[in-house]
């Protein structure tokens, strides 16, 4: 029997009994290569963005940026360079950073910053993934591969978040094996991701995953940008919940008029930088005009009372040098008399040489005498005539501006913020005096060697003023039981610093207690990592406070993404190893067949 096949007809159906079903032709949405037209258009847009020329160009810009950022640290601090160059979309790059500073090379250009370079590179990598890496799997295999990649991504996130790492003291063994455990976790997550990529991309799985690891490290900068670093100073027998930010300062005005109550008005670091800005608050009866902001000042501050010692010592030296010069001048006169008595030219030449040497000594001592007299004059002027209208600590100490701590200086100390301000009564031009303030007077900065405030009384109320590190209040308390400071025998070289700490965290419960309490030992090379707050405590140094009680200085670092570079490198390593093995196995199979 002949089979009958119904075919669609372009003719209208005859009769009114029934209507023919509409037939949709999808072939018109498929391009010549078998791809959907929309996808073809998307690839046409992405193809220029995936160009290798863009990759090479961006890397060239990045090399110049890293070079400029490195040499700029000759005169700028590390964080200043990071903020001005790497965490900018575009910045002004001066030509002089590439040449010796004494050449004074002028000019500059607008240059792409780190964020712009990183964003372009990220877009380039994503476009390359989309355009060049075509999925080989279909149907069930594709679905399984996507599920495995999703599982690997979740595992990677948990590793970064520290879900598989306990909160524990980093002992010497943990310092080694803890990091090894993190790297092993990176290998495991990389293995899971490689398996998913293999299901979808087959032989190119390693290349795809390698790019994914690089993208992860690029994205980590967004997390790194929120990292904070501070210090916690604790004396034996005391507790604190304050972390001092080492990168920012603040001006705090405290109302001391009511006994037992302290009301603080705080002006942030950003508000202090603008010259001429007037700071005001509804709770203050006066205004604060910023006359000068100093990013870094001399530490410790110059004590004007030391000028008396300078004047005394310089006076003795001046008298001594004047007597030497007087004695040498007498010697010159005696040498001239002897020379007149000599008959031989050789003897006269020796006398002339001795006279010339003595005159050279007189010239040298004369220059020293001139410098000493100038130093004595400045010391007397500084002692007797501080800045006109200066009050408070500014009369005793001179705040001298210095260049900020550069990235090449030994020790890498913290910038000592300084301010010159004028206080005026609110609503009038009546001046209440000039004040010089410095972070050098803050006790938690100078390791409790002094605690200096400026005081002012307005409308019967007493106020204190101080520049201090920006305070970060934490939900936990650190109580210092004991500080140990050991040195190598016969030397002052530190061998070990150790702080015996009791950690109290009211935000967590343990049994029937209202707060979680545990003993923690923090020592050199053995930090403590607090899991809930993502903070790491390092033993930085010890201190001897002004009242004789020893204390500890802990470096507190909060960086949620510190592990990302490690995990990213392990994922890239797994990708490279997987790609090598796939290529090797393929080569061995081809060789066996031939």
């Amino acid at each position: 029997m002949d089979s009958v096949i119904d075919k669609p007809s372009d003719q209208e159906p005859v009769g009114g009994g029934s209507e023919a079903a509409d037939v949709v032709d999808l072939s018109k949405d498929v391009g010549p290569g078998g791809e959907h037209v929309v996808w073809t258009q998307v690839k046409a847009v992405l193809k220029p963005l995936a160009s290798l020329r863009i990759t090479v160009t961006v890397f060239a810009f990045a090399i110049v940026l890293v070079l400029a950022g490195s040499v700029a640290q000759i005169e700028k601090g590390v964080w200043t360079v990071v903020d001005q160059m790497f965490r900018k979309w575009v910045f002004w790059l001066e030509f002089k950073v590439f040449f010796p500073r004494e050449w004074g090379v002028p000019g500059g250009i607008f240059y792409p910053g780190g964020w712009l370079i990183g964003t372009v590179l990220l877009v380039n990598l994503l476009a390359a993934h989309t355009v060049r890496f075509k999925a080989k799997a279909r149907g069930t295999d594709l679905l399984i591969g996507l599920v495995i990649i999703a599982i690997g991504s979740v595992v990677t996130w948990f590793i970064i978040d520290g879900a598989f790492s306990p909160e524990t003291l980093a002992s010497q063994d943990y310092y080694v094996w803890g990091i090894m455990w993190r790297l092993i976790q990176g290998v495991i997550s990389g293995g899971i991701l490689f398996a998913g990529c293999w299901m979808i991309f087959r032989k190119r799985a390693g290349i795809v995953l390698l790019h994914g690891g690089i993208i992860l490290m690029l994205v980590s900068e967004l997390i790194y940008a929120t990292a904070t670093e501070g210090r916690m100073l604790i004396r034996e027998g005391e507790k604190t919940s304050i972390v001092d930010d080492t990168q920012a300062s603040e001006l705090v005005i405290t109302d001391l008029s009511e006994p037992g109550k302290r009301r603080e008005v705080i002006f942030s670091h950003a508000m202090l930088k603008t010259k001429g800005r007037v700071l005001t608050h509804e709770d203050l009866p006066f205004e604060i005009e910023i006359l000068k902001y100093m990013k870094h000042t001399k530490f410790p501050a110059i004590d004007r009372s030391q000028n008396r010692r300078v004047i005394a010592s310089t006076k003795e030296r001046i008298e001594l040098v004047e007597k030497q010069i007087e004695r040498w001048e007498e010697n010159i006169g005696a040498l001239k008399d002897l020379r007149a008595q000599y008959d031989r030219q050789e003897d006269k030449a020796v006398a002339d040489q001795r006279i010339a040497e003595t005159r050279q000594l007189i010239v040298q001592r004369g220059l020293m005498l001139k410098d000493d007299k100038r130093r004595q004059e400045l010391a007397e002027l500084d002692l007797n005539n501080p800045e006109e209208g200066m009050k408070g600590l500014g009369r005793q100490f001179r705040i001298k501006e210095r260049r900020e701590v550069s990235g090449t200086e030994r020790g890498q100390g913290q910038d000592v913020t300084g301010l010159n301000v004028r206080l005026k009564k609110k609503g009038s031009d009546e001046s209440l005096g000039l004040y010089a303030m410095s972070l050098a007077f803050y006790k938690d900065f100078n390791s409790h060697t002094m605690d200096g405030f400026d005081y002012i009384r307005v409308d019967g109320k007493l106020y204190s003023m101080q520049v201090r590190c920006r305070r970060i209040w934490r939900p936990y308390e650190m109580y210092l039981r004991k500080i140990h400071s050991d040195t190598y025998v016969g030397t002052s070289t530190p061998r070990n610093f150790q702080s015996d700490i009791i950690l109290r965290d009211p935000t967590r419960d343990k049994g029937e207690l209202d707060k979680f309490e545990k003993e923690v030992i923090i020592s050199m090379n053995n930090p403590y990592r607090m899991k809930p707050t993502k903070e790491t405590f390092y033993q930085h140094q010890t201190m001897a406070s002004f009242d004789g009680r020893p204390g500890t200085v802990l470096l507190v670092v909060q960086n949620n993404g510190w592990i990302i570079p490690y995990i990213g490198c392990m994922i890239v390593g797994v990708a490279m190893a997987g790609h090598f093995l796939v290529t090797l196995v393929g080569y061995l199979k081809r060789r066996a067949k031939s």
Side-chain angles (χ1 to χ4, degrees):
M1 179 182 295
D2 295 336
S3 61
V4 179
I5 301 177
D6 295 334
K7 296 182 178 180
S9 174
D10 294 335
Q11 298 179 354
E12 295 290 338
V14 180
S18 63
E19 295 182 359
D22 294 336
V23 179
V24 180
D25 185 7
L26 298 177
S27 61
K28 63 182 179 180
D29 293 333
V30 179
E35 295 179 340
H36 198 275
V37 172
V38 176
W39 179 240
T40 304
Q41 294 173 349
V42 171
K43 289 183 65 175
V45 174
L46 294 179
K47 189 173 182 179
L49 299 177
S51 173
L52 186 60
R53 293 186 179 90
I54 295 179
T55 308
V56 175
T57 303
V58 169
F59 274 124
F61 276 108
I63 291 172
V64 175
L65 176 63
V66 172
L67 175 61
S70 300
V71 296
Q73 293 180 43
I74 295 175
E75 55 191 5
K76 294 182 179 180
V78 175
W79 291 106
T80 300
V81 172
V82 169
D83 292 336
Q84 292 182 354
M85 293 185 175
F86 292 92
R87 290 179 181 169
K88 291 284 187 181
W89 294 99
V90 179
F91 71 97
W92 180 254
L93 176 60
E94 297 178 317
F95 295 141
K96 69 177 183 180
V97 299
F98 301 106
F99 301 93
R101 299 301 185 265
E102 57 269 16
W103 290 10
V105 178
I109 58 173
F110 286 104
Y111 197 82
W115 279 353
L116 180 57
I117 290 176
T119 301
V120 173
L121 184 59
L122 179 61
V123 171
N124 179 253
L125 286 172
L126 293 174
H129 260 274
T130 306
V131 172
R132 295 193 180 97
F133 301 127
K134 188 176 181 179
K136 302 296 183 181
R138 295 291 185 271
T140 305
D141 289 346
L142 177 61
L143 180 61
I144 294 175
L146 292 174
V147 171
I148 295 176
I149 290 177
I151 293 174
S153 301
V154 173
V155 171
T156 303
W157 171 254
F158 280 136
I159 293 173
I160 294 172
D161 195 50
F164 305 117
S165 297
E167 176 182 274
T168 181
L169 172 67
S171 62
Q172 191 65 36
D173 291 337
Y174 179 81
Y175 186 73
V176 176
W177 295 109
I179 298 298
M180 288 296 297
W181 169 234
R182 292 294 184 109
L183 298 181
I184 292 172
Q185 294 176 33
V187 172
I188 294 173
S189 67
I192 298 173
L193 292 170
F194 183 82
C197 292
W198 172 258
M199 291 291 298
I200 298 175
F201 299 100
R202 300 302 181 189
K203 293 181 179 180
R204 307 196 73 178
I207 303 298
V208 173
L209 184 58
L210 188 149
H211 284 76
I214 296 175
I215 291 172
L216 176 63
M217 287 186 280
L218 286 173
V219 174
S220 70
E221 170 58 22
L222 298 176
I223 302 176
Y224 270 121
T226 61
T228 60
E229 181 177 307
R231 300 191 312 167
M232 179 176 282
L233 284 78
I234 323 172
R235 293 189 293 177
E236 278 190 359
E238 292 187 355
K239 62 184 179 181
T240 185
S241 299
I242 300 173
V243 176
D244 286 330
D245 188 349
T246 58
Q247 301 302 321
S249 305
E250 60 189 16
L251 173 61
V252 55
I253 314 294
T254 307
D255 185 355
L256 304 175
S257 58
E258 297 184 29
K261 292 184 179 181
R262 296 172 61 89
R263 182 176 178 82
E264 294 183 346
V265 177
I266 299 174
F267 298 99
S268 67
H269 195 162
M271 302 174 70
L272 308 179
K273 293 183 177 181
T274 306
K275 180 179 179 180
R277 181 169 183 172
V278 177
L279 308 178
T280 183
H281 191 272
E282 59 182 7
D283 292 337
L284 298 179
F286 55 87
E287 299 174 341
I288 306 162
E289 180 184 359
I290 305 297
L291 300 179
K292 187 176 183 180
Y293 167 81
M294 293 167 279
K295 184 176 180 62
H296 184 45
T297 59
K298 180 176 176 57
F299 178 77
I302 302 172
D303 189 347
R304 286 193 167 95
S305 62
Q306 296 178 358
N307 289 328
R308 294 186 178 90
R309 291 192 293 271
V310 173
I311 293 171
S313 61
T314 307
K315 183 179 180 180
E316 293 178 359
R317 192 163 55 248
I318 290 173
E319 292 176 353
L320 179 63
V321 172
E322 286 177 342
K323 289 180 180 179
Q324 285 180 336
I325 292 176
E326 183 179 352
R327 186 170 62 253
W328 286 335
E329 288 177 347
E330 292 176 355
N331 292 341
I332 290 176
L335 288 172
K336 286 181 178 180
D337 294 339
L338 288 174
R339 185 183 184 282
Q341 299 175 11
Y342 292 148
D343 295 328
R344 297 174 54 190
Q345 293 296 327
E346 293 83 355
D347 294 336
K348 290 184 178 181
V350 171
D352 290 339
Q353 182 179 358
R354 293 184 62 183
I355 290 172
E357 291 176 351
T358 306
R359 282 176 174 167
Q360 186 176 4
L361 289 173
I362 291 175
V363 171
Q364 292 176 353
R365 290 298 188 272
L367 294 175
M368 291 177 57
L369 184 62
K370 183 179 179 180
D371 291 340
D372 286 339
K373 287 183 176 180
R374 178 59 178 167
R375 188 178 297 109
Q376 184 183 39
E377 180 183 350
L378 292 175
E380 292 176 348
L381 181 66
D382 189 44
L383 177 64
N384 301 320
N385 299 288
E387 289 85 347
E388 183 178 357
M390 186 65 67
K391 296 183 177 181
L393 294 173
R395 293 189 62 86
Q396 179 182 353
F397 295 93
R398 179 156 50 89
I399 311 301
K400 185 177 181 180
E401 186 174 14
R402 297 184 61 185
R403 188 187 70 182
E404 68 173 301
V405 179
S406 70
T408 57
E409 287 188 22
R410 183 175 299 178
Q412 292 296 297
Q414 180 181 344
D415 286 326
V416 186
T417 305
L419 285 177
N420 285 342
V421 301
R422 176 187 288 113
L423 269 58
K424 298 185 298 183
K425 203 161 186 179
K426 184 178 289 187
S428 69
D429 293 332
E430 179 185 350
S431 176
L432 301 177
L434 304 179
Y435 291 84
M437 306 178 189
S438 173
L439 192 61
F441 304 141
Y442 177 48
K443 65 182 179 66
D444 282 355
F445 178 82
N446 56 50
S447 298
H448 289 247
T449 55
M450 70 170 293
D451 194 10
F453 292 87
D454 286 304
Y455 296 93
I456 183 173
R457 187 179 295 276
V458 182
D459 295 339
K461 291 186 176 182
L462 181 64
Y463 298 88
S464 67
M465 301 178 292
Q466 188 182 54
V467 172
R468 69 186 186 194
C469 298
R470 184 176 73 91
R471 287 186 171 181
I472 305 172
W473 295 88
R474 309 307 301 160
Y476 51 80
E477 292 178 352
M478 288 280 195
Y479 174 82
L480 178 61
R481 294 177 56 189
K482 185 71 176 176
I483 177 68
H484 305 273
S485 180
D486 303 324
T487 58
Y488 288 99
V489 178
T491 70
S492 59
T493 304
R495 183 174 64 88
N496 182 49
F497 295 149
Q498 178 177 307
S499 300
D500 296 345
I501 301 286
I502 295 180
L503 171 64
R504 300 187 179 102
D505 189 352
T507 63
R508 292 184 289 173
D509 295 334
K510 185 178 181 181
E512 299 178 355
L513 299 178
D514 294 334
K515 56 189 177 182
F516 175 80
E517 182 174 305
K518 66 183 299 186
E519 295 185 4
V520 176
I521 298 177
I522 304 174
S523 61
M524 295 172 60
N525 298 324
N526 298 318
Y528 172 71
R529 305 188 192 279
M530 185 181 292
K531 193 172 180 180
T533 61
K534 304 293 190 302
E535 288 176 303
T536 304
F537 297 83
Y538 298 89
Q539 180 64 61
H540 183 47
Q541 61 188 35
T542 61
M543 66 176 184
S545 58
F546 47 75
D547 61 358
R549 278 191 296 168
T552 186
V553 182
L554 303 178
L555 193 64
V556 185
V557 179
Q558 186 178 41
N559 187 356
N560 297 338
W562 72 273
I563 196 64
I564 294 180
Y566 298 93
I567 302 301
C569 287
M570 297 311 296
I571 291 176
V572 169
V574 170
M576 295 176 67
H579 183 70
F580 172 76
L581 290 176
V582 170
T583 305
L584 178 62
V585 171
Y587 167 75
L588 294 177
K589 287 183 177 179
R590 290 193 301 271
R591 185 176 180 181
K593 289 181 180 179
S594 62

